[in-house]
Amino acid sequence: MARFTSFDGTELAYREVGEGAPLIVLAGGPGRASEYLGTLGGLDASRRLVVLDNRGTGESDEPADPFTYRRDMLVRDVEMLRRHLGLDVVDVLGHSAGAGIAMGYAADFPERVGKLVLLTPALRSVGLSPEQSDWDTFLAARTGEPWFEAATTALDRNAAGDDSVENRVAASPLLYARWDETTRAHADAELGQWKYEVAAGYNAEGAFVPGVLRRALAEFGHPVLVYACSEDPISPVRRCVELAGLFSDVTLHVHEGVGHYPWVEEPDAVSSRLAAFLG
């Protein structure tokens, strides 16, 4: 992996794969190494993916000050990567919590963003997190699944304070529309990819000021793709519709029959749709 020095001296790593115009890709989790993104279903066939390991994850170094794990601070790493690459304007894709970073980057550096992709975005940064009624509806539709009891028990443990990666993985069948060999392997890989301290830092006090971000995004005039999935409890479609309403130039795409990691379940459909938007 290639490396660069960010604003506070922390050495960060990124991998490049594919040909064509560069696309900065931001991982979620928060706190998960970017390896889980793969090539986003083969998007590297049409774009050069520049996939960043957020600080403290994957091959990137841990910062001296854990304050810099905060979501709004991670925006600065994206800007330093852009400068390192020598690009005046760059397209940016953020998945899940990475979409929170991407939205922050679009708000703080709008003149540096060409197109913006929010792929099954986490929504806390704009005050649109799923409500209990969203979870109730989602869970009610899955009560007959053989994994349901174990996964919901893991959710309960999480609510009681169990933030272990093992517990996250135990709940992960809820994040896929199909629980098979492929999705299980993708979920199990998180055991070696996720760090609690990075996730905690991302969500630290002061990281989210939804009103400020919403106002900034309303002024962001570049093309945006909000990519929602019908079986995703993290980014409910109705909330993604509200997110799309914040932007002036937006395309909302709803991918039916897949969950929070759609490129794992239907890679060709995801890569073709992303490539069509990015051009």
Side-chain angles (χ1 to χ4, degrees):
M1 297 182 78
R3 299 177 69 82
F4 69 100
T5 302
S6 196
F7 65 92
D8 62 341
T10 303
E11 291 285 319
L12 304 183
Y14 65 95
R15 60 184 169 90
E16 294 187 90
V17 58
E19 303 292 336
L23 172 68
I24 289 181
V25 180
L26 305 175
R32 189 170 181 180
S34 67
E35 182 183 4
Y36 82 93
L37 292 163
T39 62
L40 293 171
L43 186 59
D44 58 320
S46 59
R47 297 298 295 259
R48 175 163 62 98
L49 307 184
V50 182
V51 188
L52 176 65
D53 267 343
N54 291 321
R55 54 180 53 218
T57 70
E59 298 298 318
S60 287
D61 291 352
E62 297 179 356
D65 187 351
F67 171 79
T68 60
Y69 284 137
R70 224 172 65 167
R71 183 202 62 87
D72 53 336
M73 299 297 292
L74 297 179
V75 168
R76 301 185 184 189
D77 291 335
V78 183
E79 173 60 7
M80 295 302 293
L81 175 57
R82 180 199 64 79
R83 296 181 189 182
H84 170 75
L85 295 171
L87 301 170
D88 289 332
V89 176
V90 67
D91 296 336
V92 178
L93 180 151
H95 170 252
S96 193
I101 305 170
M103 286 188 277
Y105 187 68
D108 291 353
F109 300 94
E111 73 283 0
R112 298 303 185 184
V113 181
K115 294 183 177 182
L116 177 66
V117 178
L118 305 176
L119 177 59
T120 56
L123 299 163
R124 182 179 176 186
S125 61
V126 287
L128 294 173
S129 295
E131 298 176 336
Q132 187 59 50
S133 59
D134 296 304
W135 275 101
D136 291 343
T137 300
F138 176 81
L139 293 174
R142 287 153 180 81
T143 55
E145 297 290 348
W147 45 258
F148 181 81
E149 182 176 355
T152 53
T153 298
L155 282 185
D156 292 340
R157 288 197 300 266
N158 179 259
D162 184 348
D163 293 316
S164 68
V165 66
E166 291 81 7
N167 196 56
R168 286 174 61 90
V169 172
S172 60
L174 294 163
L175 301 181
Y176 303 87
R178 296 182 290 276
W179 191 236
D180 55 24
E181 183 177 346
T182 299
T183 54
R184 184 178 288 105
H186 186 260
D188 286 347
E190 187 169 13
L191 291 168
Q193 296 171 344
W194 184 78
K195 292 183 178 179
Y196 167 79
E197 59 273 19
V198 181
Y202 177 99
N203 290 305
E205 183 178 356
F208 303 94
V209 188
V212 173
L213 183 55
R214 289 167 72 108
R215 287 191 293 273
L217 294 178
E219 298 177 0
F220 179 75
H222 303 283
V224 179
L225 173 63
V226 176
Y227 197 115
C229 296
S230 65
E231 310 307 312
D232 180 11
I234 304 298
S235 317
V237 171
R238 76 171 189 92
R239 288 304 219 177
C240 287
V241 170
E242 294 180 66
L243 173 64
L246 300 179
F247 297 99
S248 60
D249 183 0
V250 66
T251 300
L252 172 66
H253 176 69
V254 179
H255 190 156
E256 298 289 342
V258 293
H260 193 59
Y261 307 97
W263 69 91
V264 177
E265 299 186 271
E266 295 187 359
D268 292 343
V270 174
S271 60
S272 63
R273 186 66 189 83
L274 294 178
F277 171 77
L278 291 166

